[in-house]
Amino acid sequence: VECGVLGDGRRRWEPITVAMTQTLASMIKKREISTLEFGLLCVDECHRAPADTTYSVAMRCTARARMGLSATPRRIDNKDLKIFAAVGEITSNITPCDLVRRGYLARPMLHLHHVPVGDSQFFSLGWPKEYDVGIVGNDDRNDMIVEDAVYYASNGIQTYIHVERID
């Protein structure tokens, strides 16, 4: 299936179009479009739908069928109703345990390691610097991750390391 793409400098519409919310919002603001004429609206990570930009774009869509995907559809700020307004009510609830039983997810293994924090001044740096020093730049922590990854890979276990950023 040839999909259209809106975002990252690309603007091609097709019967199935994948779009960045920010691109659609920009197109609406510039009056390039006024509504989104689709039969189905599918919003990935729909727990973000209450954000002003995402919500306004979703509400401009004329789709009668709406689908939201999220592992965390409940919010602590009580803006759940905006999710349901944008994509509809929860119709299916599949837990990670269900996905493991059905063979879609591997049974997770959790290993806790004690990681030395280092300098006692660490806790007075403020969150961004503490994150950089205590997590991103913590060589002891990073070495432990590498050791675990090498161990599992050398034992034939495919390993995925999820990171927020790579420096």
Side-chain angles (χ1 to χ4, degrees), residues 21-77:
T21 302
Q22 295 81 356
T23 301
L24 292 172
S26 175
M27 292 173 75
I28 291 167
K29 186 175 181 179
K30 293 176 186 174
R31 299 178 191 249
E32 295 174 24
I33 57 173
S34 59
T35 60
L36 300 168
E37 304 284 338
F38 287 100
L40 169 67
L41 169 66
C42 178
V43 179
D44 191 19
E45 303 294 341
C46 70
H47 54 272
R48 297 180 177 156
D52 292 340
T53 301
T54 305
Y55 185 74
S56 68
V57 167
M59 299 314 287
R60 292 255 187 167
C61 184
T62 62
R64 292 177 56 124
R66 294 169 178 256
M67 175 173 45
L69 307 169
S70 177
T72 54
R74 301 286 182 203
R75 293 176 56 108
I76 59 172
D77 62 2

Side-chain angles (χ1 to χ4, degrees), residues 4-13 17-24 26-27 30 32:
V5 177
L6 297 173
D8 196 28
R10 296 178 283 177
R11 295 208 176 159
R12 192 179 85 241
W13 296 90
T17 299
V18 177
M20 297 293 300
T21 302
Q22 295 81 356
T23 301
L24 292 172
S26 175
M27 292 173 75
K30 293 176 186 174
E32 295 174 24

Side-chain angles (χ1 to χ4, degrees), residues 79-118:
K79 292 187 178 179
D80 305 39
L81 290 178
K82 288 183 95 173
I83 299 171
F84 306 139
V87 297
E89 296 179 21
I90 296 174
T91 59
S92 182
N93 186 15
I94 301 171
T95 69
C97 290
D98 294 332
L99 295 173
V100 168
R101 274 193 295 277
R102 295 176 188 175
Y104 292 106
L105 291 179
R107 182 170 304 280
M109 295 184 295
L110 178 64
H111 298 271
L112 299 177
H113 294 284
H114 172 74
V115 179
V117 176

Side-chain angles (χ1 to χ4, degrees), residues 131-150:
Y131 181 81
D132 282 341
V133 171
I135 297 175
V136 176
N138 186 325
D139 291 335
D140 291 329
R141 171 193 171 272
N142 295 335
D143 289 345
M144 288 179 185
I145 293 169
V146 170
E147 287 172 18
D148 280 354
V150 168

